[in-house]
Amino acid sequence: MRLTAFTDISLRIVMRLAVARPDELLTTRDVAGMLAVPYTHAAKAVARLSELGVVEARRGRGGGMQLAAAGRGASVGALVRELEGAGDVVGCTEEPPCPLRAACRLRSALRQAQEAFYASLDGITVAALVDAPTGPVLLALTPPDRKTGTSGI
């Protein structure tokens, strides 16, 4: 199974926020630079993560974002389910519809495999994702210098 780029970016943002100091507010632009993702993609991910209650974001001067209280203990499986949305691994009902759909076992097998994939992530929390060696690497990421465009790492 392959996750969408949106889910990948969202999880990376959550991981970076999980290692931030409690008083540290990061901007979407800074996090996008640290993670080497387009700002527009990061902004969409932050908006969705805010809707889910995983990230607290404040706009304007002095604004920024932090991981919400529930974010650190959030299940990675639950997050991936929410970010990926409901849907089958294959598009059996797309146009033209598959001629095997009335008697096919593949769709059911793939649905079970997809659920097994999510279930394997259910016991993993965001906090566990940022344990060493990942956490120190995330902390070492710095936003690109806005004047030169180069990163500090």
Side-chain angles (χ1 to χ4, degrees):
M1 187 173 151
R2 185 177 177 97
L3 297 179
T4 62
F6 178 77
T7 298
D8 175 41
I9 290 168
S10 299
L11 291 173
R12 287 195 270 161
I13 290 170
V14 168
M15 290 169 63
R16 178 54 185 94
L17 294 177
V19 297
R21 294 182 319 273
D23 63 334
E24 184 179 20
L25 287 176
L26 295 169
T27 66
T28 302
R29 188 164 306 284
D30 285 344
V31 171
M34 289 175 191
L35 300 174
V37 299
Y39 169 77
T40 54
H41 294 4
K44 289 176 187 174
V46 168
R48 180 68 177 128
L49 291 166
S50 293
E51 288 173 14
L52 294 174
V54 176
V55 170
E56 294 172 350
R58 287 177 282 183
R59 296 183 111 141
R61 188 177 190 144
M65 62 181 156
Q66 292 180 308
L67 198 61
R72 232 180 135 62
S75 159
V76 175
L79 277 174
V80 171
R81 276 184 190 88
E82 287 292 331
L83 294 167
E84 286 291 310
D88 290 326
V89 176
V90 294
C92 300
T93 59
E94 294 174 2
E95 292 300 321
C98 177
L100 301 176
R101 72 176 177 216
C104 184
R105 291 184 169 179
L106 178 61
R107 185 174 179 194
S108 174
L110 290 173
R111 188 176 294 124
Q112 288 175 356
Q114 180 181 28
E115 187 47 43
F117 172 77
Y118 290 144
S120 72
L121 296 174
D122 282 340
I124 303 170
T125 63
V126 170
L129 287 180
V130 298
D131 284 341
T134 307
V137 172
L138 287 163
L139 284 170
L141 298 176
T142 58
D145 183 318
R146 292 206 175 125
K147 292 180 182 170
T148 65
T150 59
S151 179
I153 189 167

